[in-house]
Amino acid sequence: MKTGIIIIFHNNEKEIDISFFINEIKQTKNLELCLVNNNSKDNTYNHLKQISEECNNVSVVNIKKFKSDISAVKAGARFMSNNFNLNSLGYISTNLLKTNYKGLNSLIKAIKENQELINNYNIEVTKKQNIRLSLFHSLFSVIEYLKKLKVNNQFVNRQYLTKF
């Protein structure tokens, strides 16, 4: 089984390097990505569609009316749980990231470099809790999880996210 990652985008057209995203994502294994376009007014949705057309493990959800980050994550989670058999489900909202440090390319690179740790998230949670959480209840912040593990990645270490 795989781990799903939901990434929320809103007006990020200028920050998305399509070819870089495609190259990095194609190197991930056992990760299913759901790129959620939260009613962008620019060309973000078209960029995300291009990426999904080139990568087998990428889906796009297009939200036509702007929603809060929590609602956008829930829309992505519903899509992922209906379409894939996943161990766990993580999320990242680009609105809450400090992308001035090498932009979204660094985010995608951090996911690729730490995919094994991300895939092991559900194992760690299950060990600590002795109960099996539903996919929605085990939703986790990918960046917060990587920060907690003290991953040696400059992009992750520079993030100061607010919690949902």
Side-chain angles (χ1 to χ4, degrees):
M1 289 207 313
K2 296 181 178 186
T3 297
I5 298 178
I6 301 162
I7 306 175
I8 309 300
F9 293 87
H10 177 70
N11 294 333
N12 297 105
E13 170 189 13
K14 293 178 182 171
E15 298 171 41
I16 299 172
D17 180 342
I18 296 169
S19 59
F20 183 85
F21 272 47
I22 291 169
N23 278 343
E24 295 295 299
I25 292 170
K26 283 187 174 182
Q27 295 177 48
T28 61
K29 297 176 184 145
N30 296 320
L31 289 179
E32 194 66 46
L33 287 101
C34 178
L35 309 179
V36 178
N37 178 50
N38 194 1
N39 192 37
S40 297
K41 301 296 182 203
D42 61 7
N43 217 9
T44 298
Y45 177 63
N46 290 329
H47 286 5
L48 299 178
K49 277 188 3 187
Q50 277 184 272
I51 293 166
S52 72
E53 290 168 1
E54 294 291 325
C55 300
N56 294 335
N57 60 334
V58 175
S59 304
V60 176
V61 172
N62 188 32
I63 299 174
K64 295 184 180 182
K65 184 177 179 187
F66 184 79
K67 296 183 182 250
S68 68
D69 285 337
I70 294 169
S71 295
V73 168
K74 286 180 180 178
R78 275 191 301 277
F79 175 84
M80 295 292 276
S81 68
N82 288 333
N83 291 287
F84 303 102
N85 188 13
L86 301 170
N87 281 333
S88 57
L89 194 54
Y91 67 87
I92 302 166
S93 175
T94 59
N95 293 335
L96 300 176
L97 294 176
K98 290 186 175 193
T99 56
N100 55 352
Y101 182 74
K102 297 188 180 179
L104 294 178
N105 287 352
S106 294
L107 167 65
I108 299 301
K109 188 172 183 174
I111 291 170
K112 181 196 80 173
E113 289 175 352
N114 296 289
Q115 60 187 308
E116 190 173 317
L117 290 173
I118 294 167
N119 274 322
N120 290 333
Y121 174 81
N122 198 46
I123 295 166
E124 296 299 317
V125 168
T126 307
K127 281 181 190 174
K128 290 178 184 173
Q129 294 184 338
N130 290 338
I131 58 171
R132 177 72 177 132
L133 297 174
S134 72
L135 190 58
F136 286 104
H137 289 108
S138 65
L139 200 63
F140 68 98
S141 166
V142 173
I143 299 296
E144 286 296 320
Y145 177 63
L146 293 176
K147 281 173 51 179
K148 192 182 307 181
L149 293 177
K150 296 182 170 78
V151 167
N152 188 20
N153 180 285
Q154 289 181 334
F155 181 81
V156 171
N157 294 334
R158 290 181 182 255
Q159 298 308 307
Y160 301 97
L161 297 174
T162 58
K163 291 188 178 184
F164 279 99

